[in-house]
Amino acid sequence: MTKSYTEESMMLESQPSANWTDKCHSSSQDERDVENTNVPMHKDMEDDDVGLNRLEDEDDEEEEEEEEDGDDTKPKRRGPKKKKMTKARLQRFKMRRMKANARERNRMHGLNDALESLRKVVPCYSKTQKLSKIETLRLAKNYIWALSEILRSGKSPDLMSFVQALCKGLSQPTTNLVAGCLQLNPRTFLPEQSQEMPPHMQTASASFSALPYSYQTPGLPSPPYGTMDSSHIFHVKPHAYGSALEPFFDTALTDCTSPSFDGPLSPPLSVNGNFSFKHEPSSEFEKNYAFTMHYQAAGLAGAQGHASLYAGSTQRCDIPMENIMSYEGHSHHERVMNAQLNAIFHDS
DNA sequence: TAGGCCATCTGGTCCT
DNA sequence: AGGACCAGATGGCCTA
């Protein structure tokens, strides 16, 4: 442990046990804080045979002597000497620390609540398979950017570009989850799927699969965070799909590092709507395999919900976004928002 | 078993 | 003085 203990910090060995979980946190945490005053917090604190009683008995000069004897390399403590810790001071300090701990817990719980709220408004909300905090933030950032881009360009996105924008910088498991939530089979992007596609589609598929950040089946090792720069995805040449995949995210496709992505964004849109991903088929194949994604709630169990991306023969990909955003129910307010956003996109 | 994720404790800093 | 905020440290849990 690298911490240097002051007399105060050492006394805190008698603080309540750490590892409060969401399950166990209750209204009586403060009471437990007071009750469990003899549970060591950290292992090294356990190992360190310095306790409350000892601290109560020793004064600061003794402490300083210990430091000098124990480690010659340590710099001498500077500043005013600490006052002797009387029992009264000790009690005050303990109470202060307990209150601070309780406040900090509440603060973090509030932060987690906010994060949970955020999880519910970004695509792919699932109570059973929660996004991690960092992935939630990344996905939210991408989502905001994507929606901003929709507003900026006034165009409805094609699904592929939209998903790519959403998945930028996400880990592979999260990418798979997003794809699953969108019922977009990650294998769609893999070369082994290409035999079912015409040559020009194979090209596109190969392009995707060649990316370091390719969609892969779940279970494969995921690269570490930070290495999944999906910016490469945006380098896929749109013409590989012909006009069928008209690049909605032009700026992203051409310059994923542009400030438009990481820079200041439009005011966040916390909306759930029924997007209508325009898809203009340019070939018979694409006409036959145009996006049709009418999700069934029952089939939206994450990775299980991998309906074929290319099914049906419609030219539009009508995706009830309430299923994308959250397939575990929406409030009336959210449904109203859905309808409003849907109207916007159908008007555009 | 290693690594990721998380909750919690803690001390420092800033602000009221 | 006390609260909010932050970052570092730590240990538990889970999964590949």
Side-chain angles (χ1 to χ4, degrees):
Chain A
M1 181 135 176
T2 57
K3 267 184 187 170
S4 63
Y5 287 109
T6 63
E7 57 182 357
E8 291 187 341
S9 66
M10 284 199 255
M11 281 183 300
L12 292 175
E13 292 172 61
S14 60
Q15 283 295 297
S17 170
N19 198 28
W20 296 109
T21 64
D22 286 338
K23 299 162 199 160
C24 77
H25 88 264
S26 68
S27 59
S28 61
Q29 270 188 10
D30 286 354
E31 293 174 21
R32 274 183 290 177
D33 281 352
V34 178
E35 288 168 5
N36 306 329
T37 53
N38 288 319
V39 183
M41 287 181 307
H42 301 310
K43 185 175 177 296
D44 52 355
M45 285 186 175
E46 290 179 68
D47 298 338
D48 190 356
D49 192 22
V50 181
L52 189 59
N53 293 336
R54 180 187 152 197
L55 272 165
E56 283 175 348
D57 292 339
E58 73 182 4
D59 65 22
D60 295 310
E61 288 184 6
E62 286 169 351
E63 249 184 83
E64 282 195 358
E65 278 183 13
E66 254 185 32
E67 286 179 3
E68 289 171 10
D69 292 344
D71 188 356
D72 293 339
T73 62
K74 269 188 180 174
K76 291 181 180 178
R77 180 193 292 168
R78 297 184 182 184
K81 289 187 176 179
K82 304 228 171 178
K83 291 177 184 174
K84 182 175 181 177
M85 188 61 75
T86 64
K87 286 191 176 177
R89 287 192 65 215
L90 183 62
Q91 280 302 315
R92 276 203 306 275
F93 175 78
K94 284 172 68 177
M95 287 306 297
R96 205 165 62 228
R97 200 54 257 177
M98 287 174 192
K99 283 169 69 178
N101 289 347
R103 280 196 308 271
E104 180 66 7
R105 272 198 305 272
N106 288 335
R107 196 180 70 86
M108 294 309 295
H109 289 162
L111 199 58
N112 289 339
D113 288 346
L115 206 54
E116 187 59 30
S117 300
L118 187 60
R119 282 192 184 101
K120 291 176 181 174
V121 296
V122 297
C124 302
Y125 172 67
S126 168
K127 281 180 184 171
T128 54
Q129 194 173 354
K130 277 169 62 174
L131 292 175
S132 70
K133 293 179 176 181
I134 185 68
E135 292 291 81
T136 300
L137 293 176
R138 284 174 176 147
L139 180 57
K141 185 198 78 171
N142 292 349
Y143 185 42
I144 290 169
W145 178 85
L147 294 179
S148 301
E149 201 60 17
I150 289 171
L151 292 179
R152 186 190 63 78
S153 68
K155 288 194 288 186
S156 298
D158 68 83
L159 176 64
M160 207 72 78
S161 298
F162 188 76
V163 174
Q164 287 163 9
L166 285 184
C167 293
K168 182 181 190 299
L170 300 184
S171 70
Q172 183 189 311
T174 306
T175 297
N176 289 332
L177 183 62
V178 171
C181 287
L182 298 179
Q183 294 202 326
L184 189 65
N185 191 342
R187 286 172 157 270
T188 302
F189 301 94
L190 293 178
E192 55 263 34
Q193 298 292 310
S194 62
Q195 67 265 18
E196 297 175 9
M197 301 177 184
H200 69 287
M201 294 296 279
Q202 289 182 25
T203 305
S205 179
S207 298
F208 275 105
S209 65
L211 302 170
Y213 167 46
S214 60
Y215 291 81
Q216 297 176 15
T217 52
L220 294 177
S222 58
Y225 289 122
T227 64
M228 304 211 38
D229 185 1
S230 64
S231 60
H232 299 83
I233 277 184
F234 298 131
H235 291 152
V236 173
K237 291 193 166 50
H239 63 71
Y241 279 93
S243 60
L245 284 180
E246 171 189 341
F248 168 71
F249 300 104
D250 288 332
T251 54
L253 286 161
T254 55
D255 182 12
C256 60
T257 60
S258 67
S260 66
F261 194 93
D262 290 325
L265 296 167
S266 309
L269 298 172
S270 179
V271 290
N272 290 345
N274 292 329
F275 282 10
S276 182
F277 294 95
K278 283 180 180 171
H279 181 75
E280 311 294 341
S282 63
S283 68
E284 275 306 305
F285 174 86
E286 286 164 344
K287 284 176 183 171
N288 291 334
Y289 292 86
F291 301 122
T292 302
M293 303 181 68
H294 292 283
Y295 296 112
Q296 303 299 316
L300 286 167
Q304 296 173 355
H306 287 164
S308 172
L309 175 63
Y310 304 104
S313 59
T314 62
Q315 295 191 4
R316 291 176 75 89
C317 173
D318 294 324
I319 302 176
M321 281 302 271
E322 63 182 337
N323 289 337
I324 294 176
M325 304 305 176
S326 166
Y327 40 88
E328 290 179 349
H330 281 271
S331 66
H332 171 71
H333 170 75
E334 286 170 323
R335 283 192 292 271
V336 171
M337 297 287 279
N338 287 354
Q340 291 173 344
L341 190 64
N342 199 30
I344 292 172
F345 279 92
H346 279 288
D347 288 344
S348 65

